[in-house]
Amino acid sequence: MTSALVGLARDGALLALALLAPLVIATLLAGALTAIVGAVTQVRDPALGFAPRLVAVLVAIAITAPVIAARVEAFATRALEAIAVVGQGST
């Protein structure tokens, strides 16, 4: 039973990392692009770095939202089933 819960926690942590990956990659790409544009134009405005990253994260969320929702739903279903099994075994 304990191994099932440890496996569930491990799966949850890996799921969180997998779901955050597209957002982090979008932020990194937008940051690199704005750094290149800032270096070429020598513009040092803080908003120049923040706004594109915000837009990139919002676009990444809009694109990956269905996949994120499906994977979270599948994990939640597995987690609830595992919790029910563990709860029944301890009584």
Side-chain angles (χ1 to χ4, degrees):
M1 286 187 229
T2 304
S3 63
L5 293 178
V6 170
L8 187 63
R10 185 194 69 231
D11 289 346
L14 291 175
L15 178 66
L17 291 175
L19 296 180
L20 286 175
L23 305 178
V24 171
I25 291 170
T27 304
L28 288 173
L29 291 176
L33 185 62
T34 56
I36 291 170
V37 169
V40 170
T41 62
Q42 295 185 357
V43 175
R44 304 250 192 271
D45 186 19
L48 180 67
F50 179 73
R53 281 182 276 178
L54 178 64
V55 170
V57 168
L58 292 176
V59 168
I61 289 173
I63 291 172
T64 60
V67 175
I68 289 172
R71 291 189 67 181
V72 167
E73 180 186 8
F75 175 75
T77 302
R78 280 195 332 253
L80 292 174
E81 289 171 356
I83 290 170
V85 169
V86 169
Q88 290 173 355
S90 65
T91 57

mmCIF file with all atom_site columns, all heavy atoms in Angstrom, residues 14-26:
data_model
loop_
_atom_site.group_PDB
_atom_site.id
_atom_site.type_symbol
_atom_site.label_atom_id
_atom_site.label_alt_id
_atom_site.label_comp_id
_atom_site.label_asym_id
_atom_site.label_entity_id
_atom_site.label_seq_id
_atom_site.pdbx_PDB_ins_code
_atom_site.Cartn_x
_atom_site.Cartn_y
_atom_site.Cartn_z
_atom_site.occupancy
_atom_site.B_iso_or_equiv
_atom_site.pdbx_formal_charge
_atom_site.auth_seq_id
_atom_site.auth_comp_id
_atom_site.auth_asym_id
_atom_site.auth_atom_id
_atom_site.pdbx_PDB_model_num
ATOM 1  N N   . LEU A 1 14 ? 6.205  14.011 -11.433 1.00 0.00 ? 14 LEU A N   1
ATOM 2  C CA  . LEU A 1 14 ? 6.599  13.946 -12.838 1.00 0.00 ? 14 LEU A CA  1
ATOM 3  C C   . LEU A 1 14 ? 5.559  14.604 -13.742 1.00 0.00 ? 14 LEU A C   1
ATOM 4  O O   . LEU A 1 14 ? 5.910  15.254 -14.740 1.00 0.00 ? 14 LEU A O   1
ATOM 5  C CB  . LEU A 1 14 ? 6.822  12.496 -13.261 1.00 0.00 ? 14 LEU A CB  1
ATOM 6  C CG  . LEU A 1 14 ? 8.035  11.816 -12.648 1.00 0.00 ? 14 LEU A CG  1
ATOM 7  C CD1 . LEU A 1 14 ? 8.080  10.343 -13.046 1.00 0.00 ? 14 LEU A CD1 1
ATOM 8  C CD2 . LEU A 1 14 ? 9.312  12.527 -13.043 1.00 0.00 ? 14 LEU A CD2 1
ATOM 9  N N   . LEU A 1 15 ? 4.301  14.460 -13.398 1.00 0.00 ? 15 LEU A N   1
ATOM 10 C CA  . LEU A 1 15 ? 3.241  15.114 -14.167 1.00 0.00 ? 15 LEU A CA  1
ATOM 11 C C   . LEU A 1 15 ? 3.362  16.626 -14.077 1.00 0.00 ? 15 LEU A C   1
ATOM 12 O O   . LEU A 1 15 ? 3.226  17.326 -15.082 1.00 0.00 ? 15 LEU A O   1
ATOM 13 C CB  . LEU A 1 15 ? 1.867  14.658 -13.675 1.00 0.00 ? 15 LEU A CB  1
ATOM 14 C CG  . LEU A 1 15 ? 0.663  15.311 -14.355 1.00 0.00 ? 15 LEU A CG  1
ATOM 15 C CD1 . LEU A 1 15 ? 0.604  14.911 -15.825 1.00 0.00 ? 15 LEU A CD1 1
ATOM 16 C CD2 . LEU A 1 15 ? -0.614 14.948 -13.640 1.00 0.00 ? 15 LEU A CD2 1
ATOM 17 N N   . ALA A 1 16 ? 3.634  17.128 -12.889 1.00 0.00 ? 16 ALA A N   1
ATOM 18 C CA  . ALA A 1 16 ? 3.805  18.581 -12.726 1.00 0.00 ? 16 ALA A CA  1
ATOM 19 C C   . ALA A 1 16 ? 4.959  19.090 -13.570 1.00 0.00 ? 16 ALA A C   1
ATOM 20 O O   . ALA A 1 16 ? 4.844  20.128 -14.230 1.00 0.00 ? 16 ALA A O   1
ATOM 21 C CB  . ALA A 1 16 ? 4.024  18.917 -11.253 1.00 0.00 ? 16 ALA A CB  1
ATOM 22 N N   . LEU A 1 17 ? 6.070  18.370 -13.574 1.00 0.00 ? 17 LEU A N   1
ATOM 23 C CA  . LEU A 1 17 ? 7.207  18.779 -14.402 1.00 0.00 ? 17 LEU A CA  1
ATOM 24 C C   . LEU A 1 17 ? 6.869  18.723 -15.887 1.00 0.00 ? 17 LEU A C   1
ATOM 25 O O   . LEU A 1 17 ? 7.246  19.618 -16.652 1.00 0.00 ? 17 LEU A O   1
ATOM 26 C CB  . LEU A 1 17 ? 8.417  17.894 -14.103 1.00 0.00 ? 17 LEU A CB  1
ATOM 27 C CG  . LEU A 1 17 ? 9.051  18.072 -12.734 1.00 0.00 ? 17 LEU A CG  1
ATOM 28 C CD1 . LEU A 1 17 ? 10.154 17.041 -12.530 1.00 0.00 ? 17 LEU A CD1 1
ATOM 29 C CD2 . LEU A 1 17 ? 9.583  19.480 -12.576 1.00 0.00 ? 17 LEU A CD2 1
ATOM 30 N N   . ALA A 1 18 ? 6.165  17.675 -16.298 1.00 0.00 ? 18 ALA A N   1
ATOM 31 C CA  . ALA A 1 18 ? 5.812  17.533 -17.715 1.00 0.00 ? 18 ALA A CA  1
ATOM 32 C C   . ALA A 1 18 ? 4.841  18.626 -18.163 1.00 0.00 ? 18 ALA A C   1
ATOM 33 O O   . ALA A 1 18 ? 4.931  19.114 -19.293 1.00 0.00 ? 18 ALA A O   1
ATOM 34 C CB  . ALA A 1 18 ? 5.205  16.163 -17.970 1.00 0.00 ? 18 ALA A CB  1
ATOM 35 N N   . LEU A 1 19 ? 3.925  19.014 -17.282 1.00 0.00 ? 19 LEU A N   1
ATOM 36 C CA  . LEU A 1 19 ? 2.954  20.028 -17.662 1.00 0.00 ? 19 LEU A CA  1
ATOM 37 C C   . LEU A 1 19 ? 3.551  21.430 -17.654 1.00 0.00 ? 19 LEU A C   1
ATOM 38 O O   . LEU A 1 19 ? 3.084  22.314 -18.370 1.00 0.00 ? 19 LEU A O   1
ATOM 39 C CB  . LEU A 1 19 ? 1.742  19.965 -16.738 1.00 0.00 ? 19 LEU A CB  1
ATOM 40 C CG  . LEU A 1 19 ? 0.927  18.671 -16.804 1.00 0.00 ? 19 LEU A CG  1
ATOM 41 C CD1 . LEU A 1 19 ? -0.245 18.736 -15.854 1.00 0.00 ? 19 LEU A CD1 1
ATOM 42 C CD2 . LEU A 1 19 ? 0.466  18.370 -18.209 1.00 0.00 ? 19 LEU A CD2 1
ATOM 43 N N   . LEU A 1 20 ? 4.581  21.647 -16.850 1.00 0.00 ? 20 LEU A N   1
ATOM 44 C CA  . LEU A 1 20 ? 5.238  22.953 -16.807 1.00 0.00 ? 20 LEU A CA  1
ATOM 45 C C   . LEU A 1 20 ? 6.255  23.131 -17.923 1.00 0.00 ? 20 LEU A C   1
ATOM 46 O O   . LEU A 1 20 ? 6.626  24.264 -18.236 1.00 0.00 ? 20 LEU A O   1
ATOM 47 C CB  . LEU A 1 20 ? 5.924  23.163 -15.461 1.00 0.00 ? 20 LEU A CB  1
ATOM 48 C CG  . LEU A 1 20 ? 4.988  23.446 -14.304 1.00 0.00 ? 20 LEU A CG  1
ATOM 49 C CD1 . LEU A 1 20 ? 5.776  23.516 -13.010 1.00 0.00 ? 20 LEU A CD1 1
ATOM 50 C CD2 . LEU A 1 20 ? 4.244  24.736 -14.526 1.00 0.00 ? 20 LEU A CD2 1
ATOM 51 N N   . ALA A 1 21 ? 6.717  22.056 -18.517 1.00 0.00 ? 21 ALA A N   1
ATOM 52 C CA  . ALA A 1 21 ? 7.764  22.139 -19.543 1.00 0.00 ? 21 ALA A CA  1
ATOM 53 C C   . ALA A 1 21 ? 7.406  23.067 -20.708 1.00 0.00 ? 21 ALA A C   1
ATOM 54 O O   . ALA A 1 21 ? 8.229  23.900 -21.088 1.00 0.00 ? 21 ALA A O   1
ATOM 55 C CB  . ALA A 1 21 ? 8.119  20.747 -20.038 1.00 0.00 ? 21 ALA A CB  1
ATOM 56 N N   . PRO A 1 22 ? 6.210  22.966 -21.306 1.00 0.00 ? 22 PRO A N   1
ATOM 57 C CA  . PRO A 1 22 ? 5.908  23.877 -22.430 1.00 0.00 ? 22 PRO A CA  1
ATOM 58 C C   . PRO A 1 22 ? 5.921  25.351 -22.014 1.00 0.00 ? 22 PRO A C   1
ATOM 59 O O   . PRO A 1 22 ? 6.362  26.211 -22.781 1.00 0.00 ? 22 PRO A O   1
ATOM 60 C CB  . PRO A 1 22 ? 4.504  23.464 -22.883 1.00 0.00 ? 22 PRO A CB  1
ATOM 61 C CG  . PRO A 1 22 ? 4.306  22.105 -22.361 1.00 0.00 ? 22 PRO A CG  1
ATOM 62 C CD  . PRO A 1 22 ? 5.130  21.991 -21.118 1.00 0.00 ? 22 PRO A CD  1
ATOM 63 N N   . LEU A 1 23 ? 5.475  25.634 -20.799 1.00 0.00 ? 23 LEU A N   1
ATOM 64 C CA  . LEU A 1 23 ? 5.452  27.023 -20.337 1.00 0.00 ? 23 LEU A CA  1
ATOM 65 C C   . LEU A 1 23 ? 6.872  27.549 -20.106 1.00 0.00 ? 23 LEU A C   1
ATOM 66 O O   . LEU A 1 23 ? 7.185  28.689 -20.466 1.00 0.00 ? 23 LEU A O   1
ATOM 67 C CB  . LEU A 1 23 ? 4.631  27.138 -19.061 1.00 0.00 ? 23 LEU A CB  1
ATOM 68 C CG  . LEU A 1 23 ? 3.205  26.599 -19.139 1.00 0.00 ? 23 LEU A CG  1
ATOM 69 C CD1 . LEU A 1 23 ? 2.513  26.740 -17.799 1.00 0.00 ? 23 LEU A CD1 1
ATOM 70 C CD2 . LEU A 1 23 ? 2.433  27.286 -20.223 1.00 0.00 ? 23 LEU A CD2 1
ATOM 71 N N   . VAL A 1 24 ? 7.710  26.705 -19.544 1.00 0.00 ? 24 VAL A N   1
ATOM 72 C CA  . VAL A 1 24 ? 9.092  27.113 -19.310 1.00 0.00 ? 24 VAL A CA  1
ATOM 73 C C   . VAL A 1 24 ? 9.837  27.302 -20.626 1.00 0.00 ? 24 VAL A C   1
ATOM 74 O O   . VAL A 1 24 ? 10.586 28.269 -20.805 1.00 0.00 ? 24 VAL A O   1
ATOM 75 C CB  . VAL A 1 24 ? 9.807  26.080 -18.404 1.00 0.00 ? 24 VAL A CB  1
ATOM 76 C CG1 . VAL A 1 24 ? 11.293 26.359 -18.320 1.00 0.00 ? 24 VAL A CG1 1
ATOM 77 C CG2 . VAL A 1 24 ? 9.186  26.073 -17.037 1.00 0.00 ? 24 VAL A CG2 1
ATOM 78 N N   . ILE A 1 25 ? 9.612  26.395 -21.565 1.00 0.00 ? 25 ILE A N   1
ATOM 79 C CA  . ILE A 1 25 ? 10.268 26.513 -22.868 1.00 0.00 ? 25 ILE A CA  1
ATOM 80 C C   . ILE A 1 25 ? 9.807  27.772 -23.587 1.00 0.00 ? 25 ILE A C   1
ATOM 81 O O   . ILE A 1 25 ? 10.623 28.496 -24.179 1.00 0.00 ? 25 ILE A O   1
ATOM 82 C CB  . ILE A 1 25 ? 10.002 25.250 -23.715 1.00 0.00 ? 25 ILE A CB  1
ATOM 83 C CG1 . ILE A 1 25 ? 10.751 24.068 -23.104 1.00 0.00 ? 25 ILE A CG1 1
ATOM 84 C CG2 . ILE A 1 25 ? 10.417 25.449 -25.162 1.00 0.00 ? 25 ILE A CG2 1
ATOM 85 C CD1 . ILE A 1 25 ? 10.391 22.730 -23.693 1.00 0.00 ? 25 ILE A CD1 1
ATOM 86 N N   . ALA A 1 26 ? 8.510  28.071 -23.542 1.00 0.00 ? 26 ALA A N   1
ATOM 87 C CA  . ALA A 1 26 ? 8.001  29.295 -24.177 1.00 0.00 ? 26 ALA A CA  1
ATOM 88 C C   . ALA A 1 26 ? 8.616  30.534 -23.538 1.00 0.00 ? 26 ALA A C   1
ATOM 89 O O   . ALA A 1 26 ? 8.997  31.484 -24.232 1.00 0.00 ? 26 ALA A O   1
ATOM 90 C CB  . ALA A 1 26 ? 6.478  29.344 -24.079 1.00 0.00 ? 26 ALA A CB  1
#
